[in-house]
Amino acid sequence: MTSMTTHDEVTVATLVNYPAEASVDIVEGTIYLRKAGGFDVPDLELMPDDGRRHELLDGVIVVSPSPVRVHQRAVTQLAVLLSNAGPPDWEILVAPFDVQAGPRTVVEPDVLVLPNRDAEAPTPLPLLVVEVLSRSNRGYDLVAKRSVYQRAGVRSYWIVDPDEPAVSVLRLERGQYIEVERVSGQQLLRTQLPYEIAFVPADLVR
């Protein structure tokens, strides 16, 4: 391991079990592991079970800190809302659950909606992915993962900011995400994708 930038709750003990050939960048607690030629899916599968989220983004392994309580509260509340409103044959899952979005890209959305519950069938493309922002990964979710989901063709992407709280609804139109709605606090969010659902962002963090 060679280069290192900023440092936020990441110790040498955190890094020793990561690939020795990787160069390391640490930005606000999120670790980016790079090597010449990039990493592959089998490399990701060898990452240690250290309580952090491990994703592969175009050959770069991204290691995110464990989420804080308000983040997990928003994930749980949203999963319940989506489950109660959705068709009975659709499935709502929460991280950690791998979604392969390219030959060298494997991500773990905070919440995702799948169009069927058949565990024996190959995992279909999610109809909706949701990312709940953390202070350590705002840019990653707002830019990098947005690009991943857009390229993969996920029809709807929601971004939840638990600090405000607010929800941004992005819809795929002609291969590009367009923000069709953004609501905050006690404002009512009502959307038809992936199915009809209505809630207020403040309820996600209570």
Side-chain angles (χ1 to χ4, degrees):
M1 298 186 178
T2 54
S3 63
M4 187 176 299
T5 55
T6 60
H7 200 79
D8 182 10
E9 299 182 357
V10 178
T11 66
V12 172
T14 306
L15 303 177
V16 293
N17 292 320
Y18 293 166
E21 71 273 26
S23 64
V24 181
D25 291 308
I26 305 170
V27 181
E28 296 180 337
T30 297
I31 305 167
Y32 297 85
L33 304 175
R34 298 176 172 87
K35 74 171 184 178
F39 289 99
D40 294 304
V41 174
D43 298 313
L44 184 66
E45 295 170 351
L46 295 175
M47 292 294 290
D49 184 9
D50 58 1
R52 294 173 178 256
R53 182 178 301 186
H54 306 102
E55 299 176 296
L56 183 66
L57 188 68
D58 295 329
V60 176
I61 294 177
V62 182
V63 185
S64 303
S66 299
V68 297
R69 186 172 183 176
V70 68
H71 177 283
Q72 292 302 88
R73 182 180 300 148
V75 167
T76 301
Q77 298 282 34
L78 187 54
V80 170
L81 287 169
L82 286 165
S83 182
N84 290 339
D89 56 337
W90 289 15
E91 187 164 26
I92 290 79
L93 299 175
V94 299
F97 183 83
D98 287 348
V99 173
Q100 185 151 358
R104 299 179 111 188
T105 297
V106 178
V107 290
E108 293 184 359
D110 284 318
V111 185
L112 65 153
V113 175
L114 297 175
N116 66 63
R117 301 179 62 89
D118 185 359
E120 300 303 320
T123 301
L125 184 71
L127 298 174
L128 166 70
V129 293
V130 183
E131 295 291 355
V132 179
L133 298 180
S134 298
R135 292 176 183 175
S136 63
N137 71 357
R138 294 181 70 90
Y140 179 53
D141 288 338
L142 291 170
V143 180
K145 292 184 84 170
R146 171 176 173 160
S147 177
V148 166
Y149 298 137
Q150 180 175 277
R151 294 196 320 256
V154 178
R155 293 174 59 194
S156 191
Y157 179 33
W158 296 359
I159 301 171
V160 177
D161 186 342
D163 291 337
E164 192 167 348
V167 179
S168 297
V169 175
L170 285 70
R171 182 181 302 163
L172 194 65
E173 297 183 4
R174 298 181 180 179
Q176 300 288 325
Y177 277 137
I178 306 297
E179 185 177 272
V180 295
E181 191 166 10
R182 187 180 191 279
V183 299
S184 61
Q186 295 290 342
Q187 294 177 311
L188 180 66
L189 171 65
R190 188 183 298 277
T191 182
Q192 301 293 325
L193 285 177
Y195 42 75
E196 185 174 0
I197 186 171
F199 62 93
V200 298
D203 287 344
L204 301 181
V205 296
R206 287 178 176 153

